[in-house]
Each structure stands twice: as C-alpha cells, then as structure tokens.
C-alpha cells in the first residue's frame, strides 16, 4: 500500500486529506454541533441574514432521537415512517444492484449509501411537479416520488424494459413524469439548465420551481458558477444543492474547496441565500428544503444548500475506496447513519420499534429482490439485453435525416 | 415584399416568431436595450418587453445552459453568441447537452433551441472576430447547422430553425450583413438593394433545413459553397465566363446530398469553397461525399479552396481570405485536367 | 431614441440600469464614503478578516486633495509626479489613437479613459518581474513600466514596426520583457492562466507573483470561477483584479452581478482575501495592491480586488455610448476623475501647480503626437501596412509542418 | 527491453520525463494519490512528490487553464483529462488559448503542454465514456494531435509530445490499454505479452510526431487507421487473406501525407477506419487528401468505415462499433470495384 509522500518539496501548496489507508482516522476535531444550529429566519429575508448559516450546520435530530430547535418540522409519524421506508428501499435497491453488477448483469452501478436522507428529505419538501435536476446519487428522490423501481432497474440492466432503450449507461435515469430530469454523464452541466428551467417557470408565471444537484467535487465546473450567477441576476426560482459527501472519487473535499471555506459559503458572494445542513438528518434536510422552496416560490430567488454528508460506499462499481481512504472511515464518521438516526427518532417518538424495523428491512429486501427478478427477466448484459439494436438510430433528431437513414441501411447490410 | 438587408431580415424573422409564439425568447450579450452589436435584435425589447428580449451576463456557457433548461420547460429560446469565436465556452453545453438531450432521454426531454452567431472574416476582425467554426459542429450528431447567404434565406431559415424541434446552430456571415461581397476588398461595397435575394416577403415563411439553393446553373463545373463564399463564387465564375452550377448549401447538417450528387454527376468537376481553416474543415466532408457518390463521374480531383491552416491574421486579412485569385486558380485547374 | 420598455410582464426578473438615454442621471444615492474606509489588517491575516472589506471601499484621497487613513501609502512627491505623468501619457495616447482610428489608420481602438489609475497605481506597487495578465484596458501598466509607446502604436497600426507582425487586432499587446502577458481576444481566459503562472512560480520557489485582470462583465465566464477556485485550493501567489467600470459594452454591472452583492464579495466564499477599492484614487489602488502583493509573496495566497471605477468613453471605437446611457453620465459619476484627483493631491502637498500641470499635459500631447508620427511612418491600414503577408504562416507552430509549407507555396502561386 | 502494457508504457514515459526534467508536472482529476482511474499515473506522486503529481478540482477548463499559465512560466505540464468525453469544458482553453498563444504573441509566449486523455469505445462506457473527438482538434491550427495504438509507440510518442514546444493532444485508446483488440467482443481478451509492440525499451526514446507506422505491407489495398481500429484492420485483413498496407497514422496533425500517398499510389484502393462519428470525422480529411493527391491512381472510391452519426449508445455498443463485419464489407467492396 502506497504511503503518503513526504510532502511538498516546494512552496506550491497541494491539499491532502487528513487520513489515508493505513492511518487511524480520528474525527474528534470535527465537532458535531449540538446546540448552535442557527436560527430560522423568515424565508423572504435579505440574503445577508443567511450568511452565517453558510458556516454553521442546521440540525434537528439529536443522536438521542430527540428533534429540537427552530427548524424542527411538523411531520406526522405516518410521513416519517414513509420516509424511513423510502430510505430503506433505496438502500436495499443499491445493495442489490451493486451485487448484480458484480455478477456481470449490468455494466456499472452507483450507490447512494449514507446519503439517502438528502434525497428523500428533499423530495418530501417539494411538489412532484417541481423539476429535479439530479446527479447519479439522487435515486432516493425517484423512489420517494413513486417511480417504478422495475423501470429503474430495467434502465440499469439496459434491457427491453428500459424506457431509454439501452441508450444510456446505468443510473442515468430520465423520468419526466416524476419531475426528474434526464441525468447527464457530464458533471455540472445540469446546474445552469435547472436555473434556466426555473427562469422559464417565472416567465410563464407558473409556481413550479427547479431544484438542481451537484456533488461537492463538481462545484469546480464552470456550470456551477453560471448557475449561481444567473440565478442571482434573474432571481430564478430554484434551489441549488451541493451534496458534500466528502469525496469525489478519490479526491477529498479540500481539493474542490480549498481548505478555508464551506461550499455553502460560495453563495454568499453572489447575493444568494445560503444554508448548510446536516445531510444525515432527514428532518433538517426537509426543513431546509421547505424553507428554500418557500423562498423561491414567493419570489425570493435561489438558495444554495450544502448537504453535509458522507459517501459510505465506493464512488461506483469501478473503484475500491480502501485504496485511497482508511477502510473504517465510514464507520468513524461522526454524523452517524441517516437511516439509523431516523429510526431512533421514531422509536423516541414511540412510533417505531426494533422489531418493526427489522421486519421493514426484510420487507424491503424481499420486495427489491422480487422486482429485480422481474426486471432481469427482460434481459441483462450477461445474457441478452433484448434491446433492439436499431433503436440506436432513433431520437438523434425528431425525424431522422437522410444520412442517418442511409447508415441504418448500411447497418442492415452488415447485420445480414 | 420589402427590400431588406440581412440584419433586417433576421430581425424580421425574430419579430415574426416572437409575435406568433410567446414561447420564443431572445437573449444574449447586449441584445436587449442596445439591440446587439450588429443590431439584429434592435427594437425587439421595446416591442415585446424586457422579459422576452434581454441582456445576459458575459457567459456563453451560461447562455446556452439556461437555453437548454428553458427549452426543456417548453420554451423556444433563441440565444445569440456575440461572435462565433466566443462560442467555445458553450461548446460543452451545445455538444454534450443540447445535442444529446433527446437521445440520452430517449425523447423524454428535448432542446428546441436556435443559437444565432456571426461568422467569417472580411471585416478586419483578426483571430477572434473572423472564425468559421462550422466543422466543429457538423461533427455533432443531434445538432443541425445552417448558414444563409442572403436576406431571403436568412429569414426563411431562421423561422424554420426556431420551429424545428431540435437544436439548430444558425451561422450569420457577418460580411454579408449589409450586402453581397465579391471577395475584392477594393471594389466599392455593394448593398442588398437590387439583389433579388434581398426581396423579403412580409410575415411568415420558411426555407426548409437541408435543401441547397442553386445560385447559377451550368455544365462546366460544380461549385459547392455557403455563406460569404457563395458571392465570391458568383463573381469569379461570371468574370471567368465559366458555366457553373453554384450550389449554396445553406444547410450543412443535414446536407443536401441529392443536389450535390446530381450536379457533380452532370459536370464531372467540383470545387468546394469555405473560409474556414482547411484541415478537417467542412470541405473535407463534402470532398469525401462527392468522391464516394460520384467517383465514376469525376474527371478531375475535387478541389478545396479554403482559409489557411493558421489562425485568422489581422493585417494579412486578404492574404488569408480565400478570395478571387485562389478561387480562380482552383476552377482553372479543375477544368483543365483530363 | 428608444425609451425604456414599460417593464417585465411576467415574474421573470431582468435587472435594468438606473438611467438610460433621455434620463437625467442622479447618483446622489451612491454615497461616496469619506470616513468609513475599512482598517488595514495585517497582510497575512485570516481571509475572514477581509470579508467586510469586500462590501466597503478603500479610499485614501479626499476630494480636497488630502490623503488620509490607515491605507495612506508612503510615496515620494517624485513617485507621485511620475504616476501623474503615466496617467496623462496614457490618456493622451488613448486620445490620439482614437482619433487616428476615426481617420481609418487602424481597424479598431479601445480607450481606458477614467480608469487610468487602476493600471498605473497597480503597476507602481508591483515588481516589473511580476507577470500581469491584463485585459485590453491596462495599457497604463505598459506605459508606467516603460514599454516603448512606439511599439505599442505600431501594434495598433499593424505595421512593419509591430512586434506581432500584424497578427493580432489593435490593443492586444504582448510584452514579455515588461511582464505583460499576451492579451487574448477571448474574455476571461487569462484569469486562470495567471493562477497557473503563479502556481509555477510557487513550484519553482520563485518570488514572482501573477496579477490577473478582468472587467466586471467578464467575471461571468467560467474562467473567473476556475481562477478563484484554483487560487484558493493551491494558495497561488497572485492577485485577481476585477475592474468594475460599471459597463460591459451596453450592459450595466447589474447584469453581471445581480443586484445584491459587490464583485469583491465573490471571493469571500472561496476563502480568499477580498478588498474593494476606489479605482479613481491612485493612492488607494497602490495601497491595496501593495497589501495583496505582500500577502501573495509571503505565502498568504490570493487576494481578489475590486477596483470600483467608471468607463468614461465608449467600449471601443465600434460603439456609441450615448445609445445606451445618458450622455452626461460620465460627468455626474460621483467619484471624480483619477488624473484630477491626483493633481489636486499634489497641489495640496505643494508639489505641483496648475501651470506645471498644463505644461505636462501639453508635453504629453506633443510627445504622443511625435511618437505617433514616427510609428505611422512604418505603415498603417489606410495606406499600406508594410507587413509581409508571408508572416501569417509563421509561429503557428515552432516549426511549420509540411501542410503549412504546402499552403505557403499555394499562396505564392496565387500571389504571382 | 521490458514487456509492458499501454498503461505501464505511458506511466514509464511520464516517469522518464519527470526524472529528467523538473519542469514536467503531472496533474488532473484523481491522478495523484490514487494514480488515475486507469492507473496511468500510479506511483508517480509517491516517487516524485506531491508537488509534481497532484489532484485537481473537477474542472477541465481550469486544468488546461493552469497548464497554459504554467507553460508560459517555463514548465512543461502534462495534464490528464479523465475521459475525452469531458474535454469540452476545456475546449476554449485548448482551441482559443493553448493553440493560439504562440501565434497571437508572435512567439513571445508559448504553451508546451501535453494533454493526455482516454478515447474510444469497447468498454460499455455509453455516450459519455466512449467518444473519439479527434476531428474536433485536427481542425485547430496550432495544436498537434497524436494517438498511439501500442505500448512502444505510446511511450515514444508521449516523450516526444512532452518535449515538443507546442501543445499536443495525446489520445489514449482505452480499449487497448490492456491488449490489442480484434473488434470481436466475444473472442478471448488478449494482452500485450507476445506482441512485439509490447516490447518497450527502458529509459528515453522518442517516436517522431508526424510519422505513420506501416503495420503490414501488401499491394491489394491501403488501410488508413489509428488507435483501436489498427488492430481491427489487422485481424480482418488476416482473416480475409488480403494483402494490405495498414498504415497506423499515429499522428493526425501533422499527418504523414507522404506515407499515405505512396501507399495509395501503389495499391490504388483505400479504406479509412475510425470509431468516431462519420460526418466531419477525421476520415473525411483523409479521404479528401487521398483523392486530391492520388486521384489518377484510384481504382475505386475511397471508403470510410466509422461509427454512426449518433451518440455512442450503451446496450448497442457492438452495433455501433465499426467492427469486423463493417470493415470486411468495405474492404470487399473497394477491392471488387473496377
Ligand atoms: C465533466 C466531467 N468530468 C469528469 C467526470 C468523471 N467523474 C464522474 S463522477 C466524478 C466525481 C464526482 O464527485 P462529486 O461531484 O463530489 O460527486 P459524488 O460522486 O461524490 O456524488 C468524476 C470526476 C465526469 N463525469 N464529468
Ligand atoms: C468570450 C467572449 N465573449 C464576448 C466577447 C465580446 N466582448 C468584448 S469586450 C465585452 C465587454 C466586456 O466588459 P467588461 O468585462 O466589463 O470589461 P470592460 O470592457 O468594461 O473593460 C464583450 C462582451 C469576448 N471578447 N469574449
Ligand atoms: Mg462528492
Ligand atoms: Mg466593464
């Protein structure tokens, strides 16, 4: 195992993560703020009133399960159990799909393990007609909005049931009917598109808002700047979410951020409202999103939310995280697990217990296994995808021009 | 029928579509109150409102980025890039996003956007106000690229582009805005008055994307051109007394293969003209197509007349520009052989 | 003259400048801060200590001519008179070149009128070996550093004396020997290049720093974001200058900024030091630059400086500013003229008087006229540029590959 | 002499240059501690230090931007773009800046940068991990574009690129990293062991930019190929028993016109292969060059075998890829005619 190189041998500063494989990670320096959650200002406040929020951390759930403070939302036990189920379905699906990729059933997969509360809490706070511009780690939004898990799986399997006819790699879903924009493989590009979507909504005097996502790593793309800048200039009704899960493949967040500032703080200088939230705290995510949605819908413009969380799994099926960070880092990460934290909250409320939790976990697993079986029967990469090859010539344009028709005929000839 | 120059024809097309369809929005750097550095959007903000024709930050990537999002939300944005030389910061949004959205979502989302931008040299714009980057876009599946050479086509093509449900790059040869150009910088500048293609009908009409226009007909040689070079071709062939089929391609992707092959099969000789840098220019594709489809009819090698493989220099503008001398040499050579 | 359209007819917000042609501009709402110039912190302070500076305005020169406050630099009368001369030479050259363009001697020209102190004050505070990545409005830096004005003019005239052999349009100078990077026609691109230059300097353990410039309009390009982000991550020794001259061709600064925040504030969220300075106050520009240079040279990393000024002339010879802003706006702009302000200061110090000033103005004018005459004799666009056409094939690559040689021969053939 | 695969050969080239020249810096997304998603930079940070091989923010424009600035300050940066599909945000910095700096400053400043990036399909990477965008760069005067097809050339070309005083785009066909590829996905995967081009000398050597390599010699037909398609051509011609000149171009700009014309003048038949989308692909330029220079020698139309004019689909990978069937058809057709 390669060891950390001695260090810079010049004045060029290159940031390094605190721990690498072989180190014993110790996050005791990251204080988990218990009481200094910032106050909840009026959603239509002057953006300057939120500049402190960019540096602090909005939290609702204590580790004890208690929900406290200004931001504590008003959610019924029913809604919370529903959320828990979405979290657990998401995790179960990720688990299953990862394993099936390992068996060669699909080319690739990406888990959202550890970050499920960001997606689910966010989805709960929006209307289904609000358009999400997601990354590949917001599958929880689709699941919470009730998209067909079978269709999602078929997309990953690139099979006959794939609404995208096998055109895209796994996880790059498109579900317009669920307000879920087609995911691009190119990082960052959708941020500014979401701002444009919101501008169109304002132009049409419609109430719908856009919510755009990026990982903390991809904030370095120009599109992030475009998004903040255009959102500020035109007061676009949207939410700009940075999911800071600490890692961008093998690069720790200090490569994207520098070491001096939070990602939420990026918004301050553009005159945007800024919130920073414990992304493993579903109630906090919900509350922050609600606040930002209310602001956007009422003409207050965009909010930049940093969701502070941790990517527990590898980046994708293509990498092994123990090659660049300590194996047990996910366990010692001081903000806990979002499912565990919501579970403890529900138990604290006496609306849940361990037995029901185990039963639900089992139910999710079984349900996912059944759906998967059903999906896989429509084809997979290890066997036959059952996708018609000729579909590759479709949807390049609305109507295929002559040169594409000619190529279709060439393909016919070579397929004989 | 009005006598319009190309700027007026473009403005008219925008006005027609903005009047017909509230989903059509025009935006870009300086296009709003000021009406654009070439005046193509002058008066549109005053007539249609601040929210329909507005200034943007200087951010070509952002401009096309919001256009994609707006289009996905049902609008038909018509963004302007101030000079084609400045389109590169938007290259990713055009090639990876606008052109791919329909495909990657299998038709779930689409991007009906028309990107207007001035191209070409002839105005002493130097390296960064003279480029003709069309070949960087004709390689992009999912995108259409058109380029008018006259006011009539400019209006009709622009309306067709805006109505098209796919993204269209609409290139405006800036040297032609005020009149056709023979390629001789010392000749007195012409305007569009008196040119029949400067006669522009009022109201709505379209020129179909993908169809070439026959500028002149003749049996001696086929000249494939577009934009400014159409008028250089016309001037040179007239001066030489050559009977040429001059095809103004108008649309580069899709291209009008039928008109091209019909003509070359008839003449057996072909010269291709463009201002852009030679290597990997669109002329290469045309040359390849011609020899693939007309191999047995060809009596001489297909010739390309192009800008040189250098950036567009400032003081050496007319040494770089593929002007009458270069065109004449190529036509002579293609007609002499065999 | 077109009048302002009624307004938005939808909820889409599009910013508008306060005044358009036909309006009587009234800037009494812009208070010219007299006393609340922020304190001068230690140049190696934590960047957060400068976040207030991003919202205020560093000023040294009162309109009375007095120099006051924390930032008041220690400059000799000699240095000040030198600076004044650079300002006035710059203005005289701009004036002359603009007029000669009107006579067809060159294709294009861009004045820096009203903003000369930004360039000259900046140049005074740096070493000549520090590399400037300028825009087309920093000719004052070249002049103050002693570049050959004749060579500059020949560049604009694209003639036989042009060091660039006519390849570039006027004003896009390149003077490596004066630490003045080749200006790109593409806005913004050089910002991140300058950061890279600074990183290389740090890598080489050299003391040289980079200073990069952008207009406020071009801050919307992705390169601006790259520059701030990379400068922050690698603590690059550089200064990032935003010259906010209120206009980007016809667009007022609110289009680039939105209406909520200053340009200096953009830096706060990246963890950079931020200063905002009265750009018409040469002493303040000098002091702010000195501070930032000291910070960069000592390992403190980058500073973002907003130079608040006003573009008195049109954008270039290609536009007429009265078409988009009130004709007298330059005169009523409340921060005065940088030459006038420095002159009054020198008079206040009893180191200058009106007579000497007039004499200097006359001298500059004469000198410029002479140099111009000399330069023009080497060719111009109205007559013959005297540039060898074959130079266009040179410097595409270090060694021309075969295909370029072939084209050179083709050109030879057509030139017969 | 060592047996290396292409990843090792590339790493070795970097190591040789970093050891020789402290001005050589390697950086990009995940290239530092992790050693790159394809492992091409593994171990370099440990050996040469954090300041010589380091991770960057996910910002392709920023990566090339700092490279230009570093190069102007005397260094020789070797940035990596993780996949060529993600190079577009850097397009402006490459085309407008790196490639133009020498010209616009008339040699006052230069940009000796080598941009490494993996290209091509064959690994189920779909639309955004399979592209071959070379033609978007061969149109850019001031830039060089090279693409090796084997470990020996990869090392020699990369060293030459780093030592070149102009910017070079260095494309790495990712399907070849671990072994040559016949184009048949069902055949057992080969590695480089046993292939003579997998024999890589230790230390410093260069392969000149601009020279093609003759992979096989024959009188029947000329095949112009590069990258992955070189091995497809080899497999297909061997299987067909055709005696072909297979030219591995290696360098697309500058290109080796002499080798191309010598071969086509000899064989009279030419097939051009590339993975990229057909229209305006680099094959168009090659086709144009061949017919311009070998017109009278040609006995059949020059044929192009390419990817289709669609984005690179995921499930339909092998229907899109210009595999053995498509190549065979073209060779047969070009050999049948006349
Ligand atoms: C433009 C672009 N550059 C690079 C990549 C390759 N890539 C895919 S994901 C990834 C890391 C993203 O990290 P982050 O933004 O933090 O999101 P996360 O994966 O942590 O959710 C990279 C570099 C890409 N897809 N697009
Ligand atoms: C990438 C790019 N986009 C657009 C332009 C056209 N353009 C040249 S200057 C300018 C305005 C710049 O304004 P600002 O940045 O405020 O600088 P100023 O001219 O005020 O000094 C524009 C839009 C360009 N040169 N490059
Ligand atoms: Mg991340
Ligand atoms: Mg400005």
């Amino acid at each position: 195992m390669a060891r950390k190189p001695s260090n810079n041998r010049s004045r060029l500063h290159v940031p390094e993560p605190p721990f690498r494989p072989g180190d014993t990670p110790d996050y005791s320096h990251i204080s988990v703020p218990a009481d200094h959650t910032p106050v909840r200002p009026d959603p239509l406040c002057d953006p300057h009133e939120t500049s402190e929020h960019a540096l602090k951390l909005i939290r609702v759930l204590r580790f004890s399960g208690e929900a406290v403070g200004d931001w504590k939302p008003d959610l019924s036990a029913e809604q919370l159990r529903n959320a828990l189920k979405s979290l657990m379905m998401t995790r179960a699906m990720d688990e299953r799909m990862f394993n099936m990729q390992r068996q060669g059933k699909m080319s690739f997969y990406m888990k959202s393990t550890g970050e499920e509360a960001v997606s689910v809490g966010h989805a709960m706070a929006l209307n289904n007609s609000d358009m999400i511009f997601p990354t590949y780690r917001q599958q929880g939004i689709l699941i919470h909005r009730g998209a067909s898990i079978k269709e999602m799986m078929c997309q990953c399997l690139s099979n006959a049931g794939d609404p995208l006819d096998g055109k895209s790699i796994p996880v790059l879903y498109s579900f317009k009917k669920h307000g879920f924009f087609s995911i691009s493989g190119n990082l960052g590009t959708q941020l500014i598109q979401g701002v444009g979507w919101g501008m169109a909504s304002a132009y049409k005097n419609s109430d719908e808002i856009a919510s755009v996502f990026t990982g903390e790593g991809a904030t370095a793309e120009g599109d992030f700047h475009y998004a903040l800048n255009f959102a500020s200039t035109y007061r676009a009704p949207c939410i700009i979410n940075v999911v800071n899960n600490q890692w961008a493949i093998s690069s720790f967040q200090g490569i994207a951020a520098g070491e001096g500032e939070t990602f939420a703080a990026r918004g301050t200088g553009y005159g945007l409202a800024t919130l920073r939230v414990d992304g493993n705290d579903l109630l906090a995510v919900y509350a922050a999103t609600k606040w930002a949605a209310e602001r956007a819908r009422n003409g207050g413009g965009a909010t930049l939310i940093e969701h502070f969380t941790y990517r527990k799994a590898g980046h994708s099926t293509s990498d092994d995280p123990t090659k660049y960070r300590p194996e047990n880092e996910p366990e010692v990460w001081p903000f806990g697990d979002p499912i565990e934290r919501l579970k403890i909250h529900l138990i604290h409320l006496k609306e849940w217990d361990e037995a029901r939790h185990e039963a639900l976990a089992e139910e999710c697993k079984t349900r996912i296994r059944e759906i998967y079986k059903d999906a896989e029967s429509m084809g997979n990469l290890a066997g036959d995808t059952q996708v018609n090859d000729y579909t590759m010539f479709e949807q390049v344009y609305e109507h295929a021009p002559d040169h594409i028709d000619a190529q279709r005929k060439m393909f016919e000839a070579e397929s004989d | 029928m009005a006598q319009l120059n190309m700027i007026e024809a473009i403005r008219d097309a925008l006005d027609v579509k903005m009047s017909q369809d509230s989903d059509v929005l025009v935006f870009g750097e300086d296009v709003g109150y000021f009406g654009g550095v070439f005046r193509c959007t002058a008066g549109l903000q005053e007539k249609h409102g601040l929210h329909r024709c507005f200034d943007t930050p200087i951010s070509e990537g952002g401009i096309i980025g919001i256009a994609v999002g707006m289009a996905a939300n049902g609008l038909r944005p018509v963004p302007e890039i101030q000079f084609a030389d400045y389109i590169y910061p938007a290259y990713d949004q055009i090639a990876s996003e606008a052109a791919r959205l329909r495909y990657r979502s299998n038709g779930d989302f689409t991007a009906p956007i028309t990107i207007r931008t001035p191209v070409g040299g002839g105005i002493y714009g130097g390296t960064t106000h003279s480029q003709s980057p069309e070949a960087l876009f004709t390689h992009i599946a999912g995108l259409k690229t058109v380029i008018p050479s006259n006011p009539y086509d400019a209006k009709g093509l622009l309306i067709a582009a805006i109505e098209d449900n796919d993204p269209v790059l609409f290139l405006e040869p800036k040297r032609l805005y005020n009149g056709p150009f023979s390629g001789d910088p010392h000749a007195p500048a012409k305007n569009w008055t008196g040119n029949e293609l400067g006669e522009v009908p009022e109201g709505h009409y379209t020129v179909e994307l993908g169809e070439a226009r026959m500028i002149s007909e003749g049996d001696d040689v086929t000249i494939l051109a577009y934009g400014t070079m159409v008028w250089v071709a016309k001037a040179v062939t007239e001066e030489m007394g050559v009977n040429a089929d001059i095809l103004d391609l108008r649309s580069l992707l899709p291209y009008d293969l039928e008109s091209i092959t019909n003509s070359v099969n008839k003449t057996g000789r072909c010269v291709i003209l463009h201002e852009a840098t030679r290597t990997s220019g669109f002329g290469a594709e045309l040359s390849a197509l011609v020899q693939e489809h007309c191999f047995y009819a060809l009596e001489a090698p297909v010739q390309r007349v192009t800008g040189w493989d250098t950036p567009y220099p400032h003081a050496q503008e007319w040494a770089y520009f593929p002007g009458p001398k270069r065109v004449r040499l190529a036509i002579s050579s293609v007609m002499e052989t065999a």
Side-chain angles (χ1 to χ4, degrees), chain A, chain B:
Chain A
M1 192 68 287
R3 291 289 307 149
K4 213 182 297 190
S6 51
N7 204 318
N8 287 337
R9 289 169 211 164
S10 75
R11 283 157 36 169
L12 180 66
H13 175 74
V14 180
E16 286 182 283
F19 311 109
R20 285 293 195 191
D23 294 335
T24 304
D26 175 0
Y27 281 100
S28 52
H29 67 284
I30 297 197
S31 65
V32 178
D35 292 317
H36 54 279
T37 286
V39 295
R40 183 179 190 277
D42 186 282
L44 289 174
C45 69
D46 182 281
H48 291 97
E49 282 183 47
T50 64
S51 53
E52 280 301 303
H53 293 69
L55 309 177
K56 299 189 168 172
L57 200 65
I58 297 170
R59 303 183 79 229
V60 172
L61 284 180
R62 298 237 171 133
F63 292 129
S64 63
E66 221 182 328
V68 294
D70 235 20
W71 291 84
K72 182 181 158 184
D74 194 25
L75 287 168
S76 69
E78 190 56 32
Q79 286 173 302
L80 290 173
R81 278 189 299 258
N82 230 332
L84 186 66
K85 184 165 179 189
S86 294
L87 296 177
M88 291 169 75
M89 281 296 275
T90 304
R91 187 164 296 184
M93 171 170 169
D94 279 353
E95 204 53 39
R96 180 85 191 156
M97 298 303 274
F98 188 89
N99 293 337
M100 293 302 99
Q101 194 278 342
R102 285 287 181 256
Q103 292 184 22
K105 304 292 187 173
M106 62 199 104
S107 60
F108 177 79
Y109 193 74
M110 301 181 93
K111 293 166 109 177
S112 61
T113 310
E115 309 171 31
E116 297 94 339
V118 173
S119 292
V120 175
H122 199 75
M124 288 169 72
L126 296 182
N127 303 334
N128 286 355
S129 54
D130 293 330
M131 184 63 78
I132 307 287
F133 289 74
T135 79
Y136 42 73
R137 268 191 238 287
Q138 273 78 54
Q139 44 265 59
I141 292 180
L142 272 180
I143 287 180
H144 193 75
R145 281 188 171 178
S148 153
I149 292 179
K150 181 177 165 189
E151 279 186 12
M152 291 171 70
M153 289 178 168
C154 287
Q155 193 282 329
C156 293
L157 290 158
S158 274
N159 69 16
D162 173 9
L164 307 185
D165 281 335
K167 289 192 168 83
S168 283
I169 55 169
V171 190
L172 299 193
Y173 307 114
S174 177
F175 282 99
K176 191 174 187 178
K177 64 183 169 201
H178 298 295
F180 196 88
F181 191 72
S182 157
I183 305 173
S184 176
N186 301 67
L187 292 174
T189 50
Q190 296 171 208
L191 297 168
I192 178 66
Q193 294 168 12
V195 172
W197 196 97
M199 288 173 69
S201 190
Y203 170 76
K204 296 193 280 188
N205 290 315
S206 142
D207 273 336
E208 289 157 2
I209 67 171
S211 186
V212 307
F213 281 81
T214 176
E216 89 293 342
T219 60
E221 294 288 0
D223 303 283
F224 178 69
H225 173 59
Y226 307 153
L228 269 54
N229 202 1
F230 280 70
S232 167
T233 296
Y234 302 109
R235 292 189 203 145
C238 62
I239 307 176
I240 301 173
N241 300 279
V242 176
V243 181
N244 177 1
N245 63 4
Q246 313 302 323
W247 292 93
I249 309 185
S250 74
S251 302
F252 88 118
Q253 54 84 27
I255 292 292
E259 290 154 319
E261 218 33 280
T262 69
F263 289 95
R266 290 283 197 276
T268 312
Y270 295 82
L272 299 180
T274 50
L275 302 177
R276 189 161 175 268
V277 58
D278 177 351
N280 292 9
D281 174 344
L282 181 124
L283 270 59
V285 170
Y286 173 85
T289 307
K290 260 282 188 245
W291 187 94
E294 189 177 334
R295 182 174 177 85
R297 239 183 276 284
N298 290 304
T303 301
L304 176 67
I305 305 181
E306 172 180 348
H307 302 264
F308 192 74
T309 180
Y310 187 88
R311 194 197 77 205
K312 284 187 148 188
H315 172 71
S316 73
T317 44
S318 307
D319 69 316
D320 170 3
T322 67
K323 290 276 190 288
Y324 49 80
R325 69 184 189 192
E327 193 161 354
N328 67 334
E329 201 181 82
E331 281 86 67
V332 304
W333 184 251
F335 289 85
D337 180 273
I339 294 182
E340 196 62 20
R341 286 178 65 189
L342 186 58
K343 168 187 133 188
I344 292 173
H345 176 55
L346 270 162
I347 291 176
H348 171 90
L349 294 178
K350 307 209 182 338
E351 293 286 353
W352 199 241
D353 58 44
E354 291 286 354
R356 286 171 79 180
H357 193 78
E358 251 169 60
L360 178 57
E362 201 47 50
E363 182 196 322
C364 289
K365 210 170 147 182
T366 314
R367 192 75 201 95
I368 288 291
R369 183 175 301 153
E370 285 165 7
I371 303 174
Y372 178 78
K373 211 172 145 187
D374 197 12
E376 206 204 85
S377 74
M378 302 187 77
N380 72 79
L381 216 62
D384 180 359
T385 65
Q386 300 180 35
V387 166
N388 178 346
D389 279 340
Y390 287 88
T391 54
M392 78 179 155
F393 294 109
E394 288 163 17
Q395 300 292 351
V396 183
Y397 298 91
E398 185 181 27
H399 308 291
D402 292 349
H403 68 284
I404 294 189
D405 272 344
Q407 293 178 12
R408 173 189 260 275
K409 290 205 188 86
M410 287 166 74
F411 179 62
E412 233 173 285
E414 83 183 40
S415 306
D416 280 346
Chain B
M1 205 69 112
Q3 266 289 352
L4 303 184
N5 67 24
M6 227 158 123
I7 292 165
E8 293 160 338
I10 286 163
R11 192 189 298 148
D12 192 22
L14 294 171
D15 187 34
V16 165
K17 285 312 300 176
M18 290 177 88
S19 303
Q20 282 183 346
D21 183 354
S22 68
D23 290 340
V24 175
L25 256 54
V26 170
F27 48 89
E29 297 159 16
D30 301 296
V31 308
Y33 186 89
F34 187 52
V37 296
F38 288 105
R39 329 290 314 127
C40 291
T41 57
L44 296 178
Q45 180 179 90
E46 197 182 15
K47 178 163 176 191
H48 297 283
L50 188 60
H51 61 163
R52 301 221 31 216
C53 175
F54 54 87
D55 292 335
T56 60
I58 301 173
S59 169
E60 293 76 13
I63 291 168
I64 305 304
I66 59 165
V68 173
M70 288 174 164
N73 198 354
L75 303 186
R76 290 193 177 270
V78 189
E80 173 179 305
I81 300 296
Q82 201 164 78
F83 286 87
D85 315 63
Y86 304 138
I87 204 168
Y88 307 121
Y91 197 83
D92 191 42
Q93 284 287 345
I94 297 171
S96 307
E97 298 294 322
R100 298 273 192 262
L101 181 58
R102 175 190 289 281
Y103 197 76
R104 76 167 198 250
S105 72
N106 210 20
D108 202 24
F109 293 92
T110 58
I113 301 167
T114 303
I115 304 170
R116 294 181 38 250
T117 190
V119 292
I123 63 154
Y124 278 105
T127 311
T128 56
H129 303 86
S130 309
Q131 295 170 32
S132 296
E134 63 274 7
L136 304 174
F137 296 94
T138 51
H139 193 43
I140 303 301
L143 186 68
K144 299 184 176 180
T145 295
V146 305
I147 174 167
S149 75
N150 59 75
Y152 179 91
D153 287 346
K155 180 174 170 183
L157 286 169
L158 182 51
I159 292 178
I162 295 172
E163 293 176 351
D164 197 283
N165 287 328
D166 287 305
V168 180
L169 180 66
F170 188 85
L171 305 174
E172 304 174 359
K174 63 178 89 70
R175 177 71 211 212
L176 300 182
Y177 274 146
N178 292 306
F181 176 58
S182 70
D184 177 0
H186 307 297
K190 277 196 190 162
N191 61 32
W192 284 107
T193 316
N195 189 306
E196 64 176 9
L197 294 173
E199 305 269 324
V200 177
E202 269 155 52
H204 182 279
Y205 70 93
T206 60
V207 171
E208 204 177 316
L209 309 187
E211 294 199 350
R213 170 193 283 283
M214 190 71 88
I215 293 284
S216 76
E217 271 196 81
D219 292 336
D220 296 347
V221 59
T222 300
I223 298 183
L224 304 180
Y226 48 89
T228 308
M229 296 310 292
V230 168
W231 300 103
V232 178
K234 188 144 193 282
V236 172
T237 49
E238 282 171 5
E239 197 203 294
M240 291 175 80
V242 168
N243 291 318
D245 267 4
I246 300 180
L247 274 180
D248 174 359
L249 296 180
R250 300 198 290 200
S251 173
L252 308 186
L253 192 72
Y255 47 79
D256 185 349
L257 184 62
E258 199 183 325
S259 298
I260 295 171
T261 53
N262 284 348
S263 173
V264 179
N265 282 332
K266 175 182 73 175
T267 63
R269 299 170 197 274
C270 179
V271 176
I272 295 161
L273 314 182
H274 61 63
E275 276 184 78
T277 287
R278 186 178 189 86
T279 300
S280 279
F282 190 65
E285 178 61 37
L286 291 173
S287 176
L289 286 172
V290 166
Q291 81 87 37
E292 280 160 12
H293 293 276
C294 312
F295 183 78
Y296 299 99
L298 282 175
E299 295 180 46
V302 178
Q303 295 252 6
R304 290 181 282 171
V305 179
T306 68
W308 309 122
D309 280 333
T310 74
Y312 211 121
H314 176 246
Q316 303 89 336
E317 171 112 46
W318 302 113
Y320 181 90
F321 185 86
K325 286 187 198 167
R326 209 173 305 159
V327 174
R328 205 178 299 125
L329 275 181
I331 295 178
S332 305
S333 121
V334 94
M335 293 195 40
E336 269 162 28
T337 2

